[in-house]
Amino acid sequence: MPSVPHLRSGDQLAGRYRIRHLIGQGGMSRVYLAEDMRLVGKQWAVKQSLTEYENGLSFREEAEVLIGLDHPFLPKLVDYVPPTEEGVAYLIMDFIKGKTLQKLHEEEGPLGPERVGKYALQLCELFRYLHEHRPKPIIYRDLKPSNVMIDEQDNVRLIDFGIARNYRQGGTVDTIQLGTLGYAAPEQFTRTQTDPRTDLYSLGAVLYSLLSGGVLYPSRPAPGSFLASGQAEGWRSLIAKLLMERPEDRLQSAEELGRELNRLLAGLKPLGQRNGPRGESSTSDGARLVLVGSLYPGAGSTFVAVALARSLDRLGQASTLIEHAGNRPELFALLGGEQTQPYGYSSYIERPGPHRPEQTSAWMHGRSEWLPLPPDYGGRGRSEEWTEEDYYRLLYDKKGPVTIIDCSCDWGASSLLRLSRSADYLVIVGDPMAYKWSSHEAMETIAALESVPDNSGKIVWVANKCTPFRQMKEWLRAFPDPPLCRVPLLPEKLLLESAWEEKLVQDHKEAASVLQETLQPLLKRLASPAGVKPPGRRTAFLTRLL
C-alpha cells in the first residue's frame, strides 16, 4: 500500500471510533478493529485507504456503492470519515466475526462438496442481487477465497468492493482491467467489458480451488483425487460450464447457476445442455414446473390446479400436484381425507424423523400424484419453514413430466419468489368479483409477478368462474393480458353432489369434458406432443355458458 501512516492502538477517528488493532491488509487498503466510544461494547471494522485508488473505484465511489446496498450477505456501511490532509479516508462498517474461506481452507483442509455447495448457493443469491441492482447492475470482479468471510452463523459475507464496477449496458471495454490471477476471468485482462458472467467465472475458479485442495485454475490440472465422491462428475461438469473462456459459452446468470447447484446438492444429474442464445437450461426429459396461484384469495387456484392435473391424466400425461406450505390446507379434504389416503402415506411437509419413514406411500389417482398438506397444518405462518432448496429436492425427485404447485395467494413467500424464476409457467387465476381486483392482495400479487426476471411469456392468465353477465367484457379487459383460458362457473348442483359423494367435481363426467375443452390452450403447452389431442367440438354445455 502507498505511504499511508499506520494507525496505532488508542488512535481516534471522528471523535467516536477508537482503534484497537490491525485485522487485515490488502494492496490498496488496511482494515482495523475499532470500538465505539458512544455505544459501549459495539465494535466496527474501519477500512483505511487513499481517497483515489490507482485502479478501480475511488474510495468515495466504493462508499457510494456500499451505502446503496442492503443484503444479509454484505457488510453494512454505517459511516464515512472524509479524507485527511494526506488524502486518506475511512469507511466504518459492520465487524464480521469469522474467518475467510481461505483461512478455513488452510486450517481445515478440503471443506467437502455439501459445505462448499452451501456457500456457492449463498454467493449465487448475492450475485443475483448485485447483478439485478438498479439503476445499474454491479459487477464485483474480485471474487476469491480471501474476500469471502464465513461468519459465526456459517453464512458468507462478501467483503472488499475496491474493484467493483457498475455495468454499462452497451459498453464494450472496461476503463481498467483488473483481477486476481487464478480467479479472474479472461476478459478482465483484455480490452473487453466485464459483465455478470465475469463473476460466475470467478465463482467457478473458487469452487475449483476449494474442491481440489487449493489448486488454482488454470495453473495446473487438478489432482486425480479431485472430488473423489459419487457426485464428482456432476461437480466437474458444472465447474467446466463456469470456466469456459468465452462468456457466451458459460452459464449465463446466477439464477441459472443456482438451479444447477440445487439439483447437484439434491444428488441429481446436472441439467441438460444449454440450448439457446440466452443459455436457458432444461431437464433432459422435458419436465415442466407450473406454479398456479390466485390474484387474490378465493379466485380458485386450487380448483384450476386440480383441473389441470386431472385433464393431463385424461391425456395420458402423469403429473404431481403439491399444495404449497403457505396455503390453508384444502386439498386433503377435497380428496376425501382419511377415507381415501393410502395406507402408510405421510405428508411431504412432515420431515423425516425417528418415527417417520423417509419413503411413504404415494397418494395416486390415475396418473395424478397428490401431495396435500396435513389438515391441521398451520399454513401461512409456517410457509418459510420450507425453503427453495427443500422444494428443489422434492420437485426433482418426481418422475412425472409435469409438476404443479398450488400457491394459493402466497406469492410473497421467499421460496415461491425464487421458484418463480425457475418455473416454466406462472398461472394466475382471477374471478369476476370486481371489488377484489383493487384489493391489497391483488396489488401485492402484481408487484411480486413484476419482480420475476424475464417473465415475458411465462405468465398465463386464467379467467375462472366465467358465466354470462352484462359487464363480462369489461371484466376480461381488466386482466393485464388476455386470459389464455376461460374456465366456466360450474352448476351448483354438480359442486354439491360431488362434495357429498366425496369426489372431485373435476372428475364429474359433465364437468370434465368442459374443463378439458376450456383448458386446452394451456394443456397444449404442458403435455408432451404424443399426449395432446386436437380440440374437439365444443359441447352444448360449454356453448351455453360462453
Side-chain angles (χ1 to χ4, degrees):
M1 183 174 174
S3 56
V4 175
H6 277 278
L7 296 176
R8 296 173 297 179
S9 178
D11 286 349
Q12 296 181 16
L13 290 176
R16 178 171 181 175
Y17 309 105
R18 180 182 289 117
I19 301 299
R20 294 185 59 181
H21 55 78
L22 180 71
I23 57 177
Q25 181 170 322
M28 295 182 286
S29 62
R30 297 190 188 101
V31 180
Y32 296 86
L33 177 64
E35 58 185 13
D36 196 312
M37 298 164 60
R38 299 180 190 172
L39 302 174
V40 179
K42 182 64 178 177
Q43 295 180 328
W44 302 105
V46 174
K47 183 175 181 179
Q48 174 200 52
S49 181
L50 293 172
T51 308
E52 296 294 330
Y53 294 152
E54 293 180 8
N55 298 308
L57 295 178
S58 72
F59 202 51
R60 179 179 291 276
E61 287 173 328
E62 182 179 355
E64 290 173 351
V65 166
L66 286 171
I67 200 68
L69 299 178
D70 184 13
H71 193 280
F73 298 150
L74 291 175
K76 188 66 178 175
L77 177 66
V78 297
D79 202 355
Y80 173 73
V81 179
T84 62
E85 292 181 358
E86 295 88 357
V88 180
Y90 301 88
L91 298 180
I92 315 299
M93 298 179 290
D94 286 337
F95 171 58
I96 303 167
K97 294 182 180 180
K99 298 178 181 179
T100 65
L101 269 179
Q102 179 174 317
K103 189 69 173 176
L104 281 177
H105 192 267
E106 292 171 354
E107 293 180 353
E108 302 179 19
L111 303 181
E114 288 191 4
R115 193 171 177 189
V116 171
K118 172 188 174 180
Y119 299 150
L121 275 173
Q122 292 183 345
L123 288 170
C124 267
E125 181 181 333
L126 177 55
F127 278 144
R128 188 162 60 189
Y129 169 78
L130 294 175
H131 296 165
E132 295 174 3
H133 188 262
R134 296 294 179 266
K136 293 181 180 179
I138 294 171
I139 315 302
Y140 181 69
R141 298 202 302 170
D142 198 25
L143 185 68
K144 52 188 175 183
S146 60
N147 278 350
V148 181
M149 291 285 293
I150 305 301
D151 64 20
E152 292 182 317
Q153 288 73 47
D154 199 36
N155 293 320
V156 303
R157 301 290 289 275
L158 192 60
I159 58 177
D160 196 349
F161 272 68
I163 69 169
R165 63 178 287 272
N166 292 121
Y167 176 66
R168 295 179 294 115
Q169 188 70 36
T172 57
V173 180
D174 281 1
T175 305
I176 301 290
Q177 279 69 48
L178 285 170
T180 300
L181 287 172
Y183 298 104
E187 60 268 22
Q188 291 181 256
F189 302 103
T190 61
R191 295 197 58 77
T192 52
Q193 181 177 214
T194 54
D195 64 21
R197 298 169 295 186
T198 303
D199 285 338
L200 298 187
Y201 179 100
S202 296
L203 180 51
V206 168
L207 294 177
Y208 185 93
S209 175
L210 293 176
L211 294 172
S212 63
V215 176
L216 295 183
Y217 182 86
S219 59
R220 66 181 191 274
S225 60
F226 174 58
L227 270 182
S229 72
Q231 292 183 321
E233 188 55 42
W235 279 104
R236 289 192 189 97
S237 174
L238 177 61
I239 292 173
K241 294 177 184 180
L242 295 170
L243 293 178
M244 300 298 288
E245 182 174 357
R246 300 194 314 165
E248 57 267 31
D249 294 332
R250 300 172 199 155
L251 295 178
Q252 298 294 291
S253 68
E255 176 189 350
E256 185 180 1
L257 173 57
R259 288 199 298 266
E260 295 219 17
L261 276 168
N262 272 303
R263 289 179 61 83
L264 189 55
L265 293 175
L268 301 157
K269 296 179 181 179
L271 291 172
Q273 297 297 315
R274 299 192 300 107
N275 55 9
R278 291 170 49 202
E280 296 88 343
S281 293
S282 62
T283 53
S284 59
D285 59 1
R288 298 285 187 268
L289 172 59
V290 185
L291 306 189
V292 181
S294 297
L295 184 59
Y296 39 76
S301 67
T302 300
F303 177 86
V304 172
V306 173
L308 276 176
R310 299 306 298 139
S311 296
L312 285 167
D313 180 87
R314 285 185 283 273
L315 291 175
Q317 187 81 75
S319 65
T320 300
L321 175 56
I322 303 171
E323 192 171 29
H324 183 255
N327 295 12
R328 290 183 177 179
E330 183 178 3
L331 186 57
F332 184 87
L334 288 175
L335 296 174
E338 296 179 355
Q339 300 298 320
T340 57
Q341 72 171 3
Y343 177 78
Y345 174 78
S346 178
S347 171
Y348 80 91
I349 210 71
E350 297 170 343
R351 303 185 184 204
H355 304 295
R356 301 192 194 104
E358 291 194 16
Q359 299 295 330
T360 63
S361 302
W363 193 331
M364 301 296 299
H365 185 176
R367 299 174 184 85
S368 306
E369 180 178 358
W370 310 115
L371 275 73
L373 295 172
D376 57 350
Y377 184 67
R380 289 181 182 274
R382 297 177 60 185
S383 63
E384 297 306 321
E385 292 183 13
W386 264 67
T387 66
E388 176 191 26
E389 182 179 347
D390 292 321
Y391 276 107
Y392 271 113
R393 291 178 184 272
L394 180 66
L395 291 174
Y396 292 108
D397 185 49
K398 297 303 165 189
K399 302 298 187 289
V402 180
T403 300
I404 303 167
I405 301 182
D406 175 16
C407 307
S408 185
C409 194
D410 198 29
W411 292 106
S414 60
S415 60
L416 278 181
L417 289 175
R418 292 167 184 166
L419 283 170
S420 296
R421 301 168 182 264
S422 305
D424 294 278
Y425 294 105
L426 308 179
V427 178
I428 317 300
V429 182
D431 69 7
M433 304 307 291
Y435 69 93
K436 294 184 179 180
W437 281 75
S438 58
S439 66
H440 177 68
E441 292 87 352
M443 297 302 102
E444 283 188 334
T445 298
I446 294 295
L449 294 174
E450 289 177 346
S451 70
V452 178
D454 301 324
N455 61 18
S456 178
K458 179 183 287 191
I459 297 176
V460 171
W461 294 92
V462 171
N464 190 31
K465 305 176 187 176
C466 287
T467 189
F469 67 105
R470 187 160 53 88
Q471 294 86 3
M472 186 173 181
K473 290 184 178 179
E474 286 80 352
W475 168 52
L476 295 176
R477 283 199 296 265
F479 285 86
D481 293 301
L484 181 68
C485 304
R486 301 182 187 182
V487 178
L489 177 65
L490 297 180
E492 189 172 6
K493 175 176 177 290
L494 296 185
L495 297 171
L496 292 174
E497 287 179 354
S498 299
W500 279 92
E501 294 170 4
E502 295 185 340
K503 295 180 180 178
L504 292 173
V505 69
Q506 291 88 344
D507 283 336
H508 192 289
K509 183 177 179 180
E510 189 175 1
S513 61
V514 175
L515 294 172
Q516 194 84 13
E517 195 73 41
T518 56
L519 291 172
Q520 188 70 25
L522 183 53
L523 294 172
K524 281 184 177 181
R525 300 188 183 188
L526 300 183
S528 61
V532 177
K533 299 178 181 178
R537 180 176 57 85
R538 287 184 178 270
T539 64
F541 181 65
L542 174 64
T543 305
R544 184 170 69 251
L545 286 177
L546 301 180

